[in-house]
Amino acid sequence: MTKTITTRRVVRSAVTNFFRNFWVSVAATSMVAITLFIISTILVLYTLAVLSISNSQDKVGVITAYFNDKTTDQEMADIKAEVELLPNVREVIFISHEEAERRFRERHKDNSILISSLSEFEKPVQASLSIRSEDLNNYEGLYNELKSQRYSAYFDRVSDTRVVIEKLSRIIDFITKFGIILALIFMAVTVMVTFNTIRLTIYNRREEVEIMRLVGATNWYIRWPFIIEAMMYAVLATLIVSIVAFGLLYLLSGSIEEFLSLDSLGTNLINALFSRIVIVNILASLGLSILASYIAIRRYLKI
Amino acid sequence: MIKFDSVTKAYNKVLALNNVNLEIHKGEFLSVVGQSGAGKSTMMSLIIGEERPDEGQILIDDIDIAAIRAKDIPYLRRKIGVVFQDIKLLPMRTAFENIAFALEVSGEKPSMIQKEVPKILEMVGLEEKSKAFPHEMSGGERQRVAIARALAHKPVLLLADEPTGNLDSINAWEIIQLLLKINKAGTTVILATHAKDIVNSVKKRVITLENGEVVYDQEKGKYVL
């Protein structure tokens, strides 16, 4: 009973103080929120990049060889049959001009200028062979075979998807390094701002603290309101950033799918990302705020 | 009740108390006099555990204060009421709330606080000022609220460090009368003061400090400096 009463009084004291120094509290909360927003952005970028790379890795075994316009339909059929017999080939799919054009129109249906320009060419989109190798180790040999002189008369170009994978890996690497550095800088700034806010609060309440000591308040009765106040910055900041993050994820999911050539982000992925953001944010903000307030009270609150 | 056993305390190598031996009995009214810097406030700080002696021991009911763990000091302070010259009331709280504050921090129930605070206010003669804020009261009334707050935990010992320092003679005398009344009810009172007239008219034990040493200790003493 006594514990409940004391807890209620400590929390009330923290809440009163939060509103008594309203603008200082707003500044501290904003700083925590900015840091959380940066952490969330990094988290989303990282998750999507990893997702994208795994998505691309599925396609890495597929080499697309584009026929030049001089190749006849019969030659294309012969080449397909021949390639099917090459070692380490698992599957060969022929995509005709018509099918390639249909897919192109479907993909760019919103871009009327691009679609209308198709009529300018006789065969605007090339026919191709999609060749899947047995496994990634055979990829290079197969790629070199298709690029060899034997096929150079028929194929205009042969795509090498390894470049995409390497590029994505570099992007992930950059996001990870840059993100971690940025997050660490903002975390340090957040700790400093929260630390200073609590120090200011301790200074503002020095008379009250002194009287509390004199009348026999326990150390934690004096300390807890400051820690709870810092935790309030954390919780409020998490709430704000979570709402903003959910809104942005919901609004931008379509564009993200298109940009990263993902089939669909789906509601599950948005939910998973959102719950990850909330968990990381609450842990980071509470951790940083408690750390900052604890350092401040250890240093400036004489008990 | 309180025993100073060869207590020495220095601040930056300047001696505030030098080898003080003193015994204060239960129910006593003791005036501690001396010039500024004589060691009166240091003596008070040592009793409430705010400072620790460099040498010697301070025993309260045979318990060495220096041996009390930091986390238990608050419980010691609930047994010792303290009043200061600068009063230290919370300006945004009424007289009632200032006294209630002392009980709140020790986790007392609201019902108990509602019952006890009016009794304490009555004891210090301020039942009419229950809802008054510090700025609405005279210096003497504010000091009585501070005494009431010091009494909230029913302390066995009341320390009054220059409680009349900022008051006119009439108000000062009223505060002394109140301290005597509290002492009569059984609480040990230690009064640190400069006020010669007050010490002389109280006719209780007086110890005189000079440069951190006890130079006089007289039953029914006088201010001799």
Side-chain angles (χ1 to χ4, degrees):
Chain A
M1 178 68 182
T2 307
K3 213 161 192 176
T4 318
I5 293 168
T6 306
T7 309
R8 210 183 304 149
R9 283 176 187 151
V10 164
V11 173
R12 195 177 57 198
S13 170
V15 174
T16 307
N17 207 50
F18 183 93
F19 288 103
R20 199 182 282 166
N21 301 310
F22 184 71
W23 290 109
V24 176
S25 306
V26 167
T29 306
S30 309
M31 197 58 230
V32 180
I34 290 169
T35 304
L36 293 187
F37 194 76
I38 288 168
I39 294 173
S40 305
T41 309
I42 294 160
L43 190 72
V44 170
L45 287 177
Y46 182 79
T47 311
L48 290 176
V50 168
L51 193 76
S52 176
I53 205 168
S54 64
N55 195 37
S56 304
Q57 267 164 347
D58 283 346
K59 296 173 188 165
V60 79
V62 178
I63 300 168
T64 308
Y66 296 91
F67 287 109
N68 59 33
D69 292 345
K70 288 177 274 178
T71 315
T72 62
D73 289 350
Q74 185 54 52
E75 282 171 329
M76 288 184 199
D78 293 345
I79 293 292
K80 179 179 183 275
E82 190 179 323
V83 169
E84 277 172 342
L85 295 174
L86 287 174
N88 303 318
V89 170
R90 189 199 295 171
E91 188 185 18
V92 179
I93 298 168
F94 174 67
I95 299 156
S96 65
H97 298 292
E98 295 76 17
E99 174 62 15
E101 188 175 332
R102 192 191 61 74
R103 288 185 188 183
F104 186 87
R105 281 177 188 279
E106 175 64 25
R107 201 181 311 140
H108 299 286
K109 62 184 175 205
D110 297 329
N111 191 339
S112 56
I113 298 170
L114 197 65
I115 297 294
S116 63
S117 68
L118 287 178
S119 56
E120 304 284 325
F121 307 95
E122 193 189 336
K123 287 177 181 173
V125 191
Q126 293 162 299
S128 61
L129 288 182
S130 279
I131 306 131
R132 186 181 287 276
S133 62
E134 283 293 347
D135 59 58
L136 285 178
N137 296 333
N138 309 128
Y139 181 94
E140 203 167 348
L142 190 58
Y143 175 78
N144 290 337
E145 179 66 32
L146 291 166
K147 291 279 280 183
S148 69
Q149 207 150 17
R150 166 72 188 92
Y151 298 103
S152 62
Y154 307 105
F155 293 139
D156 195 22
R157 62 194 168 91
V158 180
S159 71
D160 184 356
T161 48
R162 284 174 304 179
V163 181
V164 180
I165 303 300
E166 279 163 17
K167 208 169 166 184
L168 272 167
S169 297
R170 279 201 299 276
I171 290 172
I172 287 185
D173 203 37
F174 176 75
I175 291 172
T176 312
K177 279 182 189 156
F178 182 71
I180 286 172
I181 291 168
L182 201 66
L184 284 175
I185 291 170
F186 272 85
M187 279 177 179
V189 174
T190 302
V191 169
M192 281 189 267
V193 170
T194 310
F195 168 84
N196 269 313
T197 309
I198 296 300
R199 189 173 73 155
L200 191 68
T201 310
I202 291 170
Y203 181 77
N204 286 339
R205 294 182 62 197
R206 64 195 180 283
E207 280 187 353
E208 201 176 329
V209 167
E210 191 185 351
I211 294 165
M212 278 200 241
R213 282 172 46 231
L214 285 176
V215 296
T218 58
N219 294 353
W220 283 106
Y221 187 92
I222 298 172
R223 283 172 176 168
W224 267 114
F226 297 106
I227 296 177
I228 292 173
E229 196 182 331
M231 285 164 76
M232 284 173 69
Y233 307 150
V235 171
L236 266 176
T238 304
L239 201 67
I240 293 165
V241 172
S242 300
I243 291 169
V244 172
F246 187 76
L248 286 177
L249 271 179
Y250 192 76
L251 286 174
L252 298 177
S253 57
S255 313
I256 295 169
E257 283 164 20
E258 201 177 344
F259 182 73
L260 293 174
S261 312
L262 297 171
D263 294 338
S264 170
L265 280 177
T267 327
N268 284 343
L269 181 67
I270 291 180
N271 286 343
L273 261 177
F274 181 65
S275 19
R276 203 179 288 183
I277 286 172
V278 173
I279 291 167
V280 168
N281 279 352
I282 197 83
L283 290 177
S285 62
L286 280 179
L288 294 176
S289 306
I290 291 171
L291 173 75
S293 56
Y294 190 73
I295 298 170
I297 60 172
R298 288 291 294 205
R299 198 154 170 195
Y300 295 102
L301 198 61
K302 190 182 169 243
I303 302 285
Chain B
M1 182 192 185
I2 302 175
K3 191 176 177 188
F4 276 64
D5 185 7
S6 308
V7 173
T8 296
K9 175 73 186 173
Y11 298 103
N12 297 324
K13 294 181 182 171
V14 177
L15 279 175
L17 286 182
N18 187 14
N19 194 31
V20 169
N21 288 290
L22 184 68
E23 211 162 327
I24 303 159
H25 304 288
K26 198 171 180 190
E28 218 173 5
F29 189 109
L30 172 72
S31 299
V32 181
V33 301
Q35 290 173 340
S36 294
K40 305 189 294 291
S41 296
T42 304
M43 192 178 259
M44 300 289 189
S45 300
L46 288 167
I47 294 173
I48 60 172
E50 199 160 67
E51 304 280 354
R52 306 233 159 176
D54 298 333
E55 286 172 35
Q57 276 187 319
I58 298 164
L59 304 167
I60 297 184
D61 288 334
D62 295 325
I63 297 167
D64 182 1
I65 293 183
I68 297 176
R69 287 178 302 179
K71 72 183 187 87
D72 291 327
I73 290 286
Y75 302 99
L76 167 77
R77 289 181 185 155
R78 288 178 201 174
K79 293 282 154 207
I80 303 172
V82 191
V83 184
F84 293 97
Q85 179 177 352
D86 57 354
I87 301 173
K88 298 186 200 290
L89 292 182
L90 293 169
M92 303 300 283
R93 292 181 186 235
T94 63
F96 184 100
E97 289 164 347
N98 264 286
I99 299 163
F101 185 69
L103 296 167
E104 283 172 8
V105 303
S106 53
E108 297 295 351
K109 289 180 192 169
S111 57
M112 183 272 186
I113 294 173
Q114 290 297 326
K115 210 172 92 184
E116 281 302 310
V117 176
K119 284 187 201 168
I120 306 168
L121 275 167
E122 194 185 337
M123 189 182 173
V124 298
L126 282 179
E127 56 272 44
E128 301 292 317
K129 295 281 181 177
S130 167
K131 290 179 181 161
F133 286 93
H135 69 270
E136 295 169 335
M137 290 185 273
S138 71
E141 286 169 340
R142 285 202 289 270
Q143 192 57 286
R144 277 194 274 165
V145 175
I147 293 172
R149 184 183 61 198
L151 295 175
H153 291 127
K154 299 186 173 66
V156 290
L157 172 65
L158 181 65
L159 302 180
D161 192 359
E162 303 279 8
T164 60
N166 287 337
L167 303 178
D168 60 49
S169 57
I170 297 172
N171 273 311
W173 187 243
E174 279 179 7
I175 293 297
I176 297 303
Q177 289 300 319
L178 179 58
L179 293 178
L180 286 166
K181 182 179 156 189
I182 291 163
N183 175 244
K184 207 170 177 182
T187 307
T188 308
V189 176
I190 301 178
L191 168 69
T193 185
H194 274 112
K196 191 173 183 177
D197 295 345
I198 285 171
V199 174
N200 291 345
S201 56
V202 164
K203 296 187 175 66
K204 300 275 187 182
R205 183 181 171 196
V206 178
I207 68 158
T208 306
L209 289 174
E210 200 174 307
N211 298 326
E213 292 180 13
V214 177
V215 289
Y216 296 105
D217 185 351
Q218 305 160 293
E219 292 296 324
K220 296 192 178 175
K222 287 197 169 188
Y223 199 116
V224 289
L225 288 174

